[in-house]
Amino acid sequence: MTPADLRVFIASCVAGLAGLLFGYDQGIISAALLTIEHSFPLSLFGKQAVAASMVAGALLGCLIAGPISDRWGRRPIVALAGLIFLLGSIGSGLAASAWHLTGARFILGIAVGGASQIVPVYIAELAPASRRGRLVLMFQLAIVSGILISSLIGWLLSGHAWALHLLGRGGDWRLMFFLGAVPALMLLIGVSILPESPRYLAMRGQAAAAMRVLKRLRDPQAAPEDEMRDILNAASETGNWRTLFSRRVRPALIAGAGLAMFSQMTGTNAVLTYAPTILSGAGFGHNVALLTSLGMGIAITLATILGVWAVDHLGRRRLMLCVLPGSIFALFLLAAVFLHGDPQNAGRWLAIIGLLLYVLCTLGSINAALWLVGAEIFPLSVRGKGMSLVTISHWSFDFLVSMVTLSIIAILGVSGTFLLFALITVSAWLFIYARIPETKSRSLEAIEESLSNGTFLHHR
């Protein structure tokens, strides 16, 4: 690895800490929900509100992060997200009531939404085209690593005597939240070494500063001068919200927002959040439910590691089309296993296998490519705003699914809910086939040019 490659890699890793916090704070609630009600009462609506409050905050975070990042820069928003993560983690651990916890989770959501908007854009604007896929997917790898860490910590701390002795009643779930402050501090410290995006600097008319940054991030033989010329040509165009909704940019908007919608409507985060609750309700022991959640964390981490390789070798679109059918099969399997109520004997093992296969294929395909495709397809002049709408779509449907999942289970049953997710996943596959272009190994400027000349969907 050359010094320039190392600088890009380190910057991607530091910014990716926001993804680790994203995954940790999203994942830890599944274990915490099992013991929070020992500290204060939580109704069915209360559980859904606590789980969904972070999503509601994320909606606000991604709404404001795009315009602010276009005005202040990518790097300051990464730092601001780290600070909010720190405050939200401490506030969650100190919660004295369900409403207090809901508010603290809302604050965490603001950081999650901002990070999900800005970090993929920031890494995509730093990375060379040949390695952009795997570097942006480090954000997704950080997210699933955070989920895995949260599953492990949730299993270790849930009901543990020394956590209860250290912090009193509810000390186990409070410590789960407090631990989120550690990577938040690491992110705040690490931001000091991050460069600003050369594409942002060019967009703000700081061509000389952009060139200095780009030369530090590229080997001399990579012809950074040629890349800067393309960047400056793209930066010469001005854009606003009207540009984002124009006929020229509309194919990118449909692709990005649609992919974000399906990433949630297929039930991914609902399954990750409520899997222990579903399994406990189906007669699985408390420890088995938490261990299955841990197994899902391991599965999605392995899937994302494979995705880091696959997006730059197989391509973004091909990866989703090849792997997503595995999710469809797993959901139909789960629907069949729960068809006659709680599974028994071998049915229980099939339920666990189905859950693991589902998260393996879904997190390894549509969720792996979501942030990457969204960060690649918009013109530079509206990239921040475009990615804001992608993340708004993501978090809006995540909020919707989080708020209604337990209610849908109460109406349709577990089997009917998995069947519904299976049919939606079939629709997602058809959408990807029809509306998502292949962006593998293409420069951001070449993708932008395809929007201008009407060939955006020809690259499939």
Side-chain angles (χ1 to χ4, degrees), residues 310-354:
V311 290
D312 280 333
H313 290 81
L314 296 179
R316 291 67 155 147
R317 181 175 180 271
R318 186 179 178 189
L319 172 66
M320 290 187 283
L321 292 178
C322 291
V323 177
L324 203 56
S327 301
I328 298 170
F329 171 79
L331 287 167
F332 278 121
L333 174 64
L334 287 165
V337 167
F338 283 91
L339 182 60
H340 299 295
D342 297 343
Q344 303 295 326
N345 303 320
R348 293 192 171 191
W349 287 106
L350 287 175
I352 292 174
I353 291 170

Side-chain angles (χ1 to χ4, degrees), residues 54 208 221 249 337 405:
M54 192 179 82
Q221 60 268 32
V249 182
V337 167
T405 295

Side-chain angles (χ1 to χ4, degrees), residues 30 34 147-148 151-152 154-155 271-272 274-280 283-300 334 338 348-357 359-360 418:
S30 63
L34 295 176
I147 294 172
L148 174 59
S151 300
L152 180 60
W155 175 61
V271 171
L272 290 174
Y274 294 119
T277 303
I278 293 171
L279 291 174
S280 293
F284 288 83
H286 180 92
N287 199 47
V288 172
L290 288 173
L291 278 173
T292 301
S293 182
L294 176 59
M296 289 194 297
I298 294 171
I300 62 177
L334 287 165
F338 283 91
R348 293 192 171 191
W349 287 106
L350 287 175
I352 292 174
I353 291 170
L355 283 170
L356 293 176
L357 179 62
V359 297
L360 186 69
F418 282 128

Side-chain angles (χ1 to χ4, degrees), residues 241 244-246 248-259 377-378 385-387 389-390 431 451 456:
W241 288 106
L244 185 60
F245 289 96
S246 67
R248 177 175 72 92
V249 182
R250 196 174 302 150
L253 186 58
I254 292 172
L259 194 61
I377 56 179
F378 293 101
K385 296 178 178 66
M387 193 60 181
L389 290 187
V390 169
F431 175 82
L451 281 169
F456 181 74

Side-chain angles (χ1 to χ4, degrees), residues 29 33 36 40-58 88 91-110 173-174 177 399 403:
I29 192 64
L33 278 176
I36 286 174
F40 35 77
L42 275 178
S43 64
L44 177 65
F45 175 81
K47 288 182 179 181
Q48 292 179 139
V50 169
S53 58
M54 192 179 82
V55 182
S92 296
L94 293 174
S97 68
W99 287 111
H100 184 175
L101 179 59
T102 300
R105 295 279 296 172
F106 180 84
I107 292 172
L108 275 173
I110 294 175
W173 64 263
R174 293 185 189 279
F177 289 129
F399 179 76
M403 282 300 294

Side-chain angles (χ1 to χ4, degrees), residues 381-417:
S381 62
V382 292
R383 187 167 293 141
K385 296 178 178 66
M387 193 60 181
S388 281
L389 290 187
V390 169
T391 50
I392 287 171
S393 175
H394 174 277
W395 291 113
S396 295
F397 285 98
D398 189 2
F399 179 76
L400 173 64
V401 173
S402 297
M403 282 300 294
V404 303
T405 295
L406 293 182
S407 298
I408 291 175
I409 291 173
I411 296 170
L412 299 180
V414 175
S415 178
T417 302

